[in-house]
Amino acid sequence: MMTGAAAIAAGGAGSARQPRNAALPAVIFAIFALMPAFAALTAQHYLVDTGTRIIVYAVAAVALDLLVGYGGLISFGQAAFIGLGAYAVGILSAAGIGDALVSLPVAIAVSMAFAWITGVVCIRTKGVYFIMITLAFGQMVYFLATSLAPYGGDNGLTIDARNTIAGWPVLKNDTAFYYFAFLCLLATYLLCRALIASRFGRVLRGTKENATRMAAIGFTVQRFQLIAYVIAGGIGGVSGFLLANSTEFVAPAYMAWQQSGELIVMVILGGVGTLDGAIVGSAVYLLAEEWLSGLTENWQVIFGPFLVLVVLFARGGLIGFCARLRLRHG
Amino acid sequence: MTATLFFVQVLNGLQLGVLLFLIAAGLTLVFGVMDFINLAHGVQYMLGAYLAVAFYGVVGNFLFALIMALLASLAFGLLLEFLVFRHLYERDHLDQVIATFGIILFLNHAVRMVWGAAPLTLPMPDAFTGSVLLAPGQLYPVWRLVIIASGIAVAGGLYLLVTHTRIGMLVRAGATNARMVSALGVNIKRLFMIVFGFGTMLAGFAGVMIAPIISVEPGMGTNILILAFVVIVIGGIGSIRGAFVAALLIGLVDTLGRSFSIDVLRLVMAPSPARTVGPAIASILIYVLMAIVLFLRPAGLFPARGR
């Protein structure tokens, strides 16, 4: 689908040739770690809620960046995994099972299983066809959820209480929940970093640069892509687990295709193929939404053109833009 | 499930199909010729409907509103092409997705600011307000037949344009290998602009034609966009013929699925679960169809050669 020159240009804007700033993730995670303390000092408790929201979406966005930025697999169905994870929590809770030791593994397993089954079909297609078929499977789960009449159907279902951890209701406390989500994000980030640095990651990046060549060297390209897809799906399930617990509510809207679109926007906005960018992107997106919606009801009228400007003038997303600014000014 | 009811639903399916074709035709050309993912195509359909309502408010004549809305859609499409899209043809698909997503956000809410969030209506032209008698006691609105006829007419015109004119030849060549066409001395930028403007106008036309029978509201372009993408992917990107076949297929499958899924399910399950499961299955049908088509033919039913 993509011509050779375009592929090289895209690669240049992506990860492989961009010098990675090792201090950036440290700064990002330090800010997240200190945020509740800052919120408590300035008595702005809503910051913890906002921070939780950012972290929940950042988990899914980091996984999506693993697919998009390193595997060249543009999935338009990432929200489906969030939804599956969330519904796993909701349905288990409705059945009286409200412990994270059960529901978190189930959320991950369900998402991974769905990713495995659909991935076998998706991976056969390339480029835009891949985008569309992942969208199709996402839509199927979405409509399936709307028909789950025993679990609220269109309206969704309320969860009685947040999950306990081995019977200990620690997550009831918003700050404790924030740090739990923070640990999930940290684990996700470290896992993805390790994957990318491993042999698996190098092969995956190779398939993005030139799948034919990787196949010629002797790698089963589709197997590597499928594994990446399943891993990203499982992490999406974690994000869904966190989302369901933080809002104590599950609805089909979590997996509407617009949600998948927003996740892609977050990844590209921050800078695709950096992992850090996915976190920065979710933070900027959700903060901009909160700030602009305070200014005007139709905040998208400002945010839409901003996205266009980012694409036109800040290649490589916000991280790429800042890196170039730094280069220019020494 | 009587034969007449079935026939009425087939007509409704055809009507949805030609509507999808009008939108998908521009989308598949822009996609096929320029390798450009235009998510904003759906809001251009919405804009066509809004413009028609606005122009109708000025003069009160449907034909005039139609013509003015088409011209304004064209002008707006060319403006967008000039300001944003032409800078993105060489870019990654991802950049195109995010930029056009930004345009969707902007237009959906700009429309809300200008015309308000409440649904608007566009009256039909007087000559077509009636109904025809299909069978005893079974009336069918004339306007839906007009939509079907105009869609088929556009499809025929497009077929002639693409297969029997010089510009059509260039478009086909561009869909197969745009780089080669440019190397042979064709002004590819102008070709892109023509294709883009034309596609926008077709989407606007679809919006105007459907406006009398649905409510014109912000976000009306979003769901139809996804359907149009399903159509062009099933048909094979860049293929007008594929878009036509797939559009009718999707229109019929979706409409018939929605009308008869509950009745069919009742044959195998109790009425109450059938009522809840039926609509879900009907909504999923077209995506299942797409997954099956892509599983069997990963490049769609009528893949453009050389891709």
Side-chain angles (χ1 to χ4, degrees):
Chain A
M1 180 69 39
M2 206 157 40
T3 55
I8 290 165
S15 60
R17 271 147 236 166
Q18 221 168 52
R20 204 165 65 74
N21 188 347
L24 183 62
V27 172
I28 291 173
F29 281 101
I31 292 175
F32 275 121
L34 295 175
M35 224 273 301
F38 175 76
L41 279 178
T42 55
Q44 292 171 298
H45 186 73
Y46 71 94
L47 279 178
V48 176
D49 290 342
T50 309
T52 310
R53 240 162 76 78
I54 291 173
I55 289 177
V56 168
Y57 282 100
V59 169
V62 166
L64 185 62
D65 195 22
L66 178 71
L67 279 185
V68 176
Y70 297 90
L73 299 166
I74 306 175
S75 166
F76 217 120
Q78 184 70 0
F81 301 111
I82 299 184
L84 285 171
Y87 266 92
V89 173
I91 292 173
L92 281 175
S93 162
I97 304 169
D99 199 279
L101 291 185
V102 179
S103 58
L104 183 57
V106 169
I108 296 174
V110 168
S111 307
M112 286 179 97
F114 182 73
W116 189 280
I117 295 165
T118 60
V120 172
V121 181
C122 298
I123 296 297
R124 283 167 50 93
T125 60
K126 288 191 189 65
V128 180
Y129 294 99
F130 181 80
I131 300 182
M132 292 310 297
I133 199 161
T134 48
L135 171 86
F137 283 120
Q139 291 291 90
M140 287 183 208
V141 185
Y142 170 80
F143 286 116
L144 211 64
T146 61
S147 75
L148 280 179
Y151 301 106
D154 249 337
N155 302 321
L157 103 135
T158 311
I159 298 171
D160 295 336
R162 279 183 185 164
N163 278 177
T164 51
I165 299 178
W168 184 35
V170 61
L171 298 181
K172 268 206 173 103
N173 181 301
D174 282 340
T175 309
F177 185 81
Y178 175 91
Y179 278 111
F180 180 78
F182 172 80
L183 287 180
C184 289
L185 178 62
L186 188 64
T188 300
Y189 182 84
L190 293 177
L191 172 72
C192 289
R193 268 275 164 264
L195 276 174
I196 290 160
S198 70
R199 176 174 172 279
F200 169 82
R202 285 199 301 278
V203 175
L204 187 66
R205 274 183 289 167
T207 64
K208 185 197 175 200
E209 296 292 322
N210 193 330
T212 318
R213 199 172 291 167
M214 291 310 282
I217 303 175
F219 289 105
T220 319
V221 170
Q222 296 192 347
R223 186 183 303 158
F224 283 86
Q225 291 176 328
L226 182 61
I227 291 172
Y229 191 69
V230 171
I231 292 171
I235 299 175
V238 175
S239 171
F241 167 85
L242 293 173
L243 184 62
N245 272 300
S246 77
T247 57
E248 297 177 44
F249 178 66
V250 185
Y254 289 173
M255 36 188 153
W257 69 268
Q258 287 92 338
Q259 285 286 328
S260 297
E262 279 180 15
L263 283 169
I264 292 184
V265 168
M266 288 174 188
V267 169
I268 309 171
L269 179 64
V272 69
T274 57
L275 292 193
D276 308 325
I279 304 176
V280 173
S282 352
V284 170
Y285 188 96
L286 294 170
L287 288 175
E289 179 181 336
E290 195 158 308
W291 178 59
L292 289 175
S293 56
L295 291 180
T296 156
E297 188 193 344
N298 291 308
W299 59 277
Q300 291 92 338
V301 171
I302 304 170
F303 194 69
F306 168 71
L307 283 182
V308 176
L309 290 178
V310 167
V311 172
L312 287 181
F313 300 110
R315 296 187 78 162
L318 295 174
I319 286 197
F321 185 66
C322 294
R324 248 172 299 129
L325 274 188
R326 239 196 343 266
L327 280 180
R328 200 174 299 162
H329 301 290
Chain B
M1 202 198 310
T2 64
T4 341
L5 183 61
F6 184 75
F7 183 62
V8 165
Q9 294 302 349
V10 167
L11 281 180
N12 283 340
L14 282 179
Q15 182 252 301
L16 177 63
V18 299
L19 185 78
L20 284 175
F21 171 71
L22 289 175
I23 300 165
L27 199 60
T28 201
L29 280 182
V30 167
F31 213 148
V33 179
M34 308 169 204
D35 198 16
F36 182 78
I37 303 189
N38 183 14
L39 293 186
H41 203 69
V43 287
Q44 278 153 342
Y45 153 86
M46 170 191 76
L47 202 63
Y50 267 101
L51 287 169
V53 172
F55 284 118
Y56 189 88
V58 176
V59 290
N61 179 308
F62 185 87
L63 190 66
F64 177 79
L66 170 68
I67 293 168
M68 288 306 289
L70 286 187
L71 291 177
S73 297
L74 178 67
F76 187 77
L78 293 179
L79 180 74
L80 269 186
E81 204 269 354
F82 179 76
L83 284 180
V84 181
F85 296 159
R86 65 169 48 181
H87 309 290
L88 298 172
Y89 293 148
E90 294 291 310
R91 297 282 197 90
D92 212 34
H93 281 152
L94 273 176
D95 283 347
Q96 300 165 354
V97 165
I98 185 172
T100 49
F101 189 78
I103 292 173
I104 295 185
L105 287 182
F106 173 75
L107 279 180
N108 265 341
H109 292 268
V111 156
R112 199 186 292 256
M113 283 172 88
V114 175
W115 283 288
L120 304 177
T121 50
L122 178 68
M124 307 179 184
D126 291 334
F128 301 115
T129 45
S131 300
V132 286
L133 199 63
L134 288 181
Q138 189 66 58
L139 289 168
Y140 197 77
V142 174
W143 186 249
R144 284 181 185 267
L145 296 176
V146 172
I147 295 180
I148 295 175
S150 62
I152 290 173
V154 168
L158 263 181
Y159 174 77
L160 288 179
L161 191 69
V162 169
T163 53
H164 287 87
T165 64
R166 186 174 164 75
I167 185 90
M169 183 188 72
L170 292 177
V171 166
R172 274 181 295 143
T176 311
N177 192 337
R179 213 165 272 262
M180 183 63 78
V181 175
S182 173
L184 291 173
V186 174
N187 185 344
I188 198 89
K189 273 197 172 154
R190 210 185 53 193
L191 181 69
F192 281 8
M193 203 161 168
I194 292 171
V195 170
F196 194 89
F198 192 69
T200 313
M201 208 167 69
L202 280 182
F205 180 64
V208 179
M209 293 305 283
I210 198 71
I213 52 174
I214 60 165
S215 50
V216 178
E217 56 193 341
M220 67 184 264
T222 318
N223 287 327
I224 203 103
L225 171 82
I226 293 295
L227 287 182
F229 264 107
V230 171
V231 164
I232 70 170
V233 164
I234 289 183
I237 289 162
S239 163
I240 294 272
R241 187 170 49 144
F244 187 69
V245 173
L248 294 189
L249 191 64
I250 291 291
L252 286 173
V253 167
D254 195 52
T255 309
L256 295 179
R258 277 174 209 285
S259 319
F260 300 117
S261 63
I262 297 176
D263 293 327
V264 172
L265 282 176
R266 267 194 189 157
L267 300 177
V268 290
M269 57 168 79
S272 153
R275 258 197 303 281
T276 50
V277 177
I281 288 190
S283 315
I284 291 174
L285 266 185
I286 56 167
Y287 299 105
V288 173
L289 182 69
M290 173 159 97
I292 293 172
V293 168
L294 286 188
F295 184 75
L296 299 174
R297 303 185 63 124
L301 291 176
F302 299 90
R305 274 183 291 276
R307 298 175 70 80

